[in-house]
Amino acid sequence: MGDRSGRLRVSNFSISLDGYGAGPDQSLEDPLGVGGEDLHTWMFATRAGRAMSGMEGGEEGLDNDVVAATFAGIGATIMGRNMFGPVRGAWPDEDWTGWWGENPPYHHPVFVLTHHPRPPVRMVGGTTFHFVTEGIEAALEQAMNAADGADVCLAGGAGTIQQYLRAGLVDELHIAIAPVLLGGGQRLFADGLGRLDGYACTDLVSSGTVVHCRITRTG
Amino acid sequence: MGDRSGRLRVSNFSISLDGYGAGPDQSLEDPLGVGGEDLHTWMFATRAGRAMSGMEGGEEGLDNDVVAATFAGIGATIMGRNMFGPVRGAWPDEDWTGWWGENPPYHHPVFVLTHHPRPPVRMVGGTTFHFVTEGIEAALEQAMNAADGADVCLAGGAGTIQQYLRAGLVDELHIAIAPVLLGGGQRLFADGLGRLDGYACTDLVSSGTVVHCRITRTG
């Protein structure tokens, strides 16, 4: 990452009180697992979160400020293939273009980690999905180049964030702890992830609705 | 629990951001596991937490208010054997009387869950350790009788709390989420504990030092 000037940031990644970033039994009907949508209720109550999805209205205040700050200064996004869609294995066709309709809420290049090559998909509104088969460092390099000095958002899911954390490539991690119990699913801080030496919690505030925790690389 | 008038409360149970109630590699030198003492730093910074251990001074404010409220209206405590001490299997002798010296910070009857009978141990300052071999419901009944209408504190560790949660016997659970990463150890919300149907998070506040989360039986 010789010319890396932006930071790699995880933002608004919501986990339950019991530590799950997605609920159990993920499926087409429940892409976030059973109960998983409850993790994000707080975000879609905010003005910035609603605007992201083309909706009007919403609450102001701390949660809104946090969400709004998320989108400031981001020039590209990285996500795992399971966040992009439910298709597994080789792409059977070009039909699947993400969960977000024809105008996804990114409006910049999005780099999808996959083992299976696929041509880029240009969407309405500035989002282009690029499929990266060369691994997490290649995706980061391509995203940093595309962001051209701005930050890169590491969107998820949990497994993808874990890979970047293990490699020490994440600069800042904002987690929202939502007041729900999912009872199972995919953990962000899974057993075996380790102590994350070189990272520290630098901010811990509650809006009453959700807890915002900021973990920053210090070492 | 026919005559049960008090509530069973978990108070000040601290977990790390990654969900551990004790660190990895518990030992005589690290009874809370490596890094586990960091979970409780916030409590021993408060006036009430320091007073509990016979120390003067300490901070006032939200954390102190929470800790002080913990001790109000408690008439008995339940704990697992591993919280009482490191001895495993049959008691070799009567030498081990807990981690807390001759005057433990309980000052009321404490019921220790164990598979191995042992006569009660009367300490200085009003604490008596009773050893219960008939299971969690028997311990709860004995503790409620001893508390005589006051509440019973379910002290820990995580495994003991899980047993009472699975049985639906906990009335209120106050968790403190500390801004540390332990990277391993014993989870409070372990995989397999389930959704805790009938419980809900009723309060979620941060002092800036630690997050206080209150989970109450609603169903």
Side-chain angles (χ1 to χ4, degrees):
Chain A
M1 311 309 306
D3 60 349
R4 174 173 166 182
S5 54
R7 292 173 303 157
L8 182 62
R9 289 159 46 190
V10 176
S11 298
N12 302 325
F13 192 87
S14 296
I15 62 175
S16 61
L17 290 174
D18 43 0
Y20 299 103
D25 303 322
Q26 293 184 46
S27 66
L28 266 177
E29 293 74 41
D30 284 311
L32 299 173
V34 175
E37 289 191 6
D38 295 345
L39 294 173
H40 306 284
T41 306
W42 71 273
M43 194 160 63
F44 292 105
T46 66
R47 176 172 290 271
R50 293 177 63 83
M52 184 181 72
S53 302
M55 296 183 286
E56 297 186 349
E59 295 167 9
E60 314 256 344
L62 175 62
D63 292 342
N64 184 60
D65 294 346
V66 169
V67 174
T70 301
F71 305 122
I74 295 289
T77 289
I78 297 172
M79 67 176 61
R81 182 183 181 171
N82 294 0
M83 182 167 171
F84 177 68
V87 183
R88 302 289 179 267
W91 304 98
D93 50 45
E94 309 290 304
D95 287 354
W96 183 266
T97 58
W99 299 103
W100 304 274
E102 62 175 12
N103 186 358
Y106 300 101
H107 314 298
H108 55 225
V110 174
F111 295 84
V112 179
L113 292 159
T114 170
H115 293 292
H116 302 278
R118 179 173 166 182
V121 178
R122 186 178 302 269
M123 308 295 291
V124 174
T127 299
T128 299
F129 292 111
H130 300 271
F131 300 88
V132 182
T133 57
E134 301 89 357
I136 63 170
E137 301 210 14
L140 179 56
E141 186 169 350
Q142 293 175 40
M144 284 289 172
N145 287 339
D148 194 22
D151 288 348
V152 171
C153 174
L154 179 57
T160 298
I161 295 173
Q162 288 162 10
Q163 287 184 60
Y164 279 96
L165 281 172
R166 282 202 187 90
L169 293 170
V170 178
D171 293 296
E172 190 179 272
L173 186 70
H174 161 238
I175 300 161
I177 305 173
V180 297
L181 294 161
L182 292 181
Q186 194 175 17
R187 293 189 182 279
L188 175 60
F189 295 116
D191 289 328
L193 183 59
R195 277 183 74 94
L196 302 183
D197 291 324
Y199 290 89
C201 176
T202 53
D203 202 20
L204 190 67
V205 296
S206 174
S207 66
T209 303
V210 75
V211 170
H212 299 284
C213 169
R214 202 166 298 276
I215 296 172
T216 309
R217 183 153 60 175
T218 55
Chain B
M1 311 309 306
D3 61 348
R4 175 173 166 180
S5 54
R7 293 174 303 158
L8 182 63
R9 290 159 46 190
V10 176
S11 297
N12 301 325
F13 193 87
S14 297
I15 64 175
S16 61
L17 290 173
D18 43 0
Y20 299 103
D25 304 322
Q26 294 184 45
S27 65
L28 265 177
E29 293 73 41
D30 285 311
L32 299 172
V34 175
E37 289 192 6
D38 296 345
L39 294 173
H40 305 284
T41 306
W42 71 274
M43 194 161 62
F44 292 105
T46 67
R47 177 173 289 271
R50 294 176 64 82
M52 185 180 71
S53 303
M55 295 184 286
E56 297 186 350
E59 294 167 10
E60 314 256 343
L62 174 62
D63 292 341
N64 184 60
D65 293 346
V66 169
V67 175
T70 301
F71 305 121
I74 295 288
T77 290
I78 297 172
M79 67 176 61
R81 182 183 179 170
N82 294 359
M83 182 166 172
F84 177 69
V87 183
R88 302 290 178 267
W91 303 97
D93 50 46
E94 309 290 305
D95 285 354
W96 183 267
T97 57
W99 298 103
W100 305 275
E102 61 174 13
N103 186 359
Y106 300 101
H107 313 298
H108 54 225
V110 174
F111 295 84
V112 180
L113 291 158
T114 171
H115 293 291
H116 302 279
R118 179 174 165 181
V121 178
R122 185 179 302 271
M123 308 295 290
V124 174
T127 299
T128 299
F129 293 110
H130 300 271
F131 300 88
V132 182
T133 57
E134 301 89 357
I136 64 170
E137 302 210 13
L140 180 55
E141 187 170 349
Q142 292 175 40
M144 284 291 172
N145 287 338
D148 194 22
D151 288 348
V152 171
C153 173
L154 179 57
T160 298
I161 295 173
Q162 287 163 10
Q163 288 185 60
Y164 279 97
L165 281 171
R166 282 202 187 91
L169 294 171
V170 177
D171 294 296
E172 189 180 275
L173 186 71
H174 160 238
I175 299 162
I177 305 173
V180 297
L181 295 160
L182 293 181
Q186 195 175 17
R187 293 189 183 278
L188 175 61
F189 295 116
D191 289 330
L193 182 59
R195 277 182 74 93
L196 301 183
D197 291 324
Y199 289 89
C201 177
T202 52
D203 200 22
L204 190 67
V205 297
S206 174
S207 66
T209 303
V210 74
V211 170
H212 298 284
C213 168
R214 202 166 299 276
I215 296 172
T216 309
R217 184 153 61 175
T218 55

